[in-house]
Amino acid sequence: SPRAFRRVREAFEVDNKTLSEALEKPIKERLSEGGSSDALFFFSSDQRFIVKSMTKAEAYFWTKNCPVSSADGSPRTMADAYADYVGTHKNTFICRIYGVYALNLYHNVFHFFVMENLFKHPDIVVHERYDLKGSWVDRHTKPPTKGEFVTCRHCNQKYKYEGAGSNRLSIGSHRSSEIGISMCRYFRRHQPTMVFKDNDLKYRLRLANVKTVVDQLTRDSNFLAIEFGTMDYSLLVGVHKEVHAINRQFRDAVAASEVQIPSFFYFGIIDILQTWTIEKKIERWFKIICLRKDPKGISALDPDSYKIRFQNAIRAITNYEDDDELESSATRTRTAEQTIESEEQQEQ
């Protein structure tokens, strides 16, 4: 594993000195945004890197043998497979992991890995964040209510939420009014820790290079399904918006003075280590049989079917239609639906 991740660092020109210096003074920590895990995040001083805690099973995953051998037919670990893929696909959207480590502290072993921060440019505001899986059951984020105490995603401080667009924000504990601090330490004002999900996305992502993006996301998800055998990963999307003035006038209508529209996007595939475990199978069974959820829309799905649904969702949200792909996409969808229907019959 150390050699594999050394190859990843070399592929993306991250030397040990740069990595160690950036991690000497982490500026903040916070619990996972949008995820169901209680993983702890630490950010490097320049916000380029993230240190994320992981379970023992996730750490062990990297040492397992990959089901697909190397080009010369020799066996390889998952870490080697990852290094081979990202090293030959420099434009991959799969998160860049530069090292997996274990720390023995007070007779307890803590596992963590270091990855590249997708939103590593502090001077660029990410106005919206989406965690997209391609599923739709329970894929909605409840916004905070006015007066609720929430956590700022920039400085990790508690503050009283006064509604979207409000400048009357205060931080601290529930006695924040006594503290008298009203501004975020790292940003102009506080923003709640909030990541939207599939059902919250109300518009299509209009991309200038849509075919390139969709093709790469397809390759990435194929790799995760075939070589990693994982599912439940997400496409993390960051949206930066810009304000444009409106100069046109229309008869019998009141024109808007300006509009705010997406100008560019960040993409990254995250949470790539979840395998099709017995726990995930039980989760799926429970939601279908006991909660009567739509089996096609549940996140828990076998890797191949998950990949197909993920790829179809990517094509839908980017409004991508390639005539050469339409027939094969329809075939993939029918195959996934037949797999799900067969699974339902077995469960019944």
Side-chain angles (χ1 to χ4, degrees), residues 3-13 76 78-98 216 220 223 227:
R3 288 191 295 270
F5 290 109
R6 187 182 303 119
R7 288 196 288 132
V8 176
R9 294 194 296 272
E10 291 173 351
F12 295 102
E13 300 180 351
R76 57 179 179 164
M78 292 295 191
D80 290 322
Y82 174 80
D84 290 341
Y85 182 80
V86 299
T88 55
H89 297 82
K90 297 291 185 64
N91 294 323
T92 179
F93 291 108
I94 295 176
C95 56
R96 298 177 183 177
I97 298 176
Y98 295 130
Q216 186 58 58
D220 292 343
F223 165 78
E227 300 197 31

Side-chain angles (χ1 to χ4, degrees), residues 31-161:
L31 292 179
S32 173
E33 285 188 359
S36 58
S37 68
D38 291 327
L40 188 65
F41 286 72
F42 289 89
F43 291 77
S44 65
S45 56
D46 58 0
Q47 295 198 52
R48 180 181 176 183
F49 305 107
I50 295 176
V51 179
K52 181 182 177 182
S53 63
M54 63 194 309
T55 65
K56 182 178 180 180
E58 290 174 330
Y60 173 72
F61 173 88
W62 296 103
T63 65
K64 294 168 56 179
N65 286 330
C66 178
V68 179
S69 302
S70 60
D72 60 4
S74 59
R76 57 179 179 164
T77 64
M78 292 295 191
D80 290 322
Y82 174 80
D84 290 341
Y85 182 80
V86 299
T88 55
H89 297 82
K90 297 291 185 64
N91 294 323
T92 179
F93 291 108
I94 295 176
C95 56
R96 298 177 183 177
I97 298 176
Y98 295 130
V100 176
Y101 307 93
L103 177 64
N104 195 328
L105 188 64
Y106 300 113
H107 307 292
N108 291 310
V109 179
F110 297 91
H111 301 277
F112 61 92
F113 62 88
V114 179
M115 63 184 290
E116 182 111 4
N117 183 10
L118 182 62
F119 310 126
K120 58 180 175 288
H121 302 292
D123 55 327
I124 298 178
V125 180
V126 178
H127 295 96
E128 295 175 352
R129 301 182 183 201
Y130 290 90
D131 180 293
L132 306 176
K133 293 179 179 290
S135 56
W136 54 88
V137 173
D138 301 326
R139 296 295 294 165
H140 171 70
T141 298
K142 182 181 178 181
T145 58
K146 187 175 180 179
E148 179 182 355
F149 281 87
V150 296
T151 302
C152 175
R153 69 182 179 90
H154 300 292
C155 66
N156 205 37
Q157 293 287 332
K158 288 284 187 181
Y159 74 96
K160 187 176 181 180
Y161 182 72

Side-chain angles (χ1 to χ4, degrees), residues 242-250 255-261:
E242 293 183 350
V243 175
H244 295 267
I246 303 297
N247 298 318
R248 299 180 62 185
Q249 297 292 329
F250 297 91
S257 61
E258 60 185 28
V259 293
Q260 188 181 49
I261 60 175

Side-chain angles (χ1 to χ4, degrees), residues 109 121 127 134 183 195 238 268 301 308 319 343 345:
V109 179
H121 302 292
H127 295 96
M183 298 300 293
V195 180
L301 197 59
I308 294 171
N319 207 37
E343 182 182 270
Q345 293 173 358

Side-chain angles (χ1 to χ4, degrees), residues 19-20 23 27 62 84 101 117 156 191 235 261 265 324:
L19 192 61
S20 60
L23 296 175
I27 60 173
W62 296 103
D84 290 341
Y101 307 93
N117 183 10
N156 205 37
Q191 292 181 344
L235 177 65
I261 60 175
F265 305 93
D324 295 333

Side-chain angles (χ1 to χ4, degrees), residues 9 56 58 67 69 82-83 150 175 188 200 231-232 243 246 249 258 260 307 309 312 317 329 342 347:
R9 294 194 296 272
K56 182 178 180 180
E58 290 174 330
S69 302
Y82 174 80
V150 296
R175 298 186 300 274
R188 290 188 297 273
D200 302 312
M231 41 74 67
D232 215 22
V243 175
I246 303 297
Q249 297 292 329
E258 60 185 28
Q260 188 181 49
K307 172 200 70 175
R309 186 178 63 187
N312 288 338
I317 65 175
S329 178
S342 174
E347 290 170 344

Side-chain angles (χ1 to χ4, degrees), residues 284 296 301-302 305 308 330-346:
R284 178 172 177 80
K296 298 177 183 178
L301 197 59
D302 69 272
S305 299
I308 294 171
T331 302
R332 289 194 299 267
T333 302
R334 286 195 297 269
T335 301
E337 291 178 349
Q338 290 170 359
T339 301
I340 294 172
E341 290 172 0
S342 174
E343 182 182 270
E344 290 179 44
Q345 293 173 358
Q346 293 176 0

Side-chain angles (χ1 to χ4, degrees), residues 238-297:
V239 184
H240 174 79
K241 294 184 176 182
E242 293 183 350
V243 175
H244 295 267
I246 303 297
N247 298 318
R248 299 180 62 185
Q249 297 292 329
F250 297 91
R251 182 181 299 177
D252 301 326
V254 179
S257 61
E258 60 185 28
V259 293
Q260 188 181 49
I261 60 175
S263 57
F264 60 86
F265 305 93
Y266 291 98
F267 292 112
I269 298 179
I270 60 173
D271 300 333
I272 61 173
L273 302 181
Q274 179 61 59
T275 56
W276 186 228
T277 60
I278 185 63
E279 290 81 7
K280 282 295 179 181
K281 294 177 182 178
I282 293 174
E283 174 190 335
R284 178 172 177 80
W285 176 88
F286 179 79
K287 289 183 176 180
I288 294 175
I289 303 302
C290 300
L291 302 182
R292 311 304 297 174
K293 299 290 187 178
D294 183 357
K296 298 177 183 178

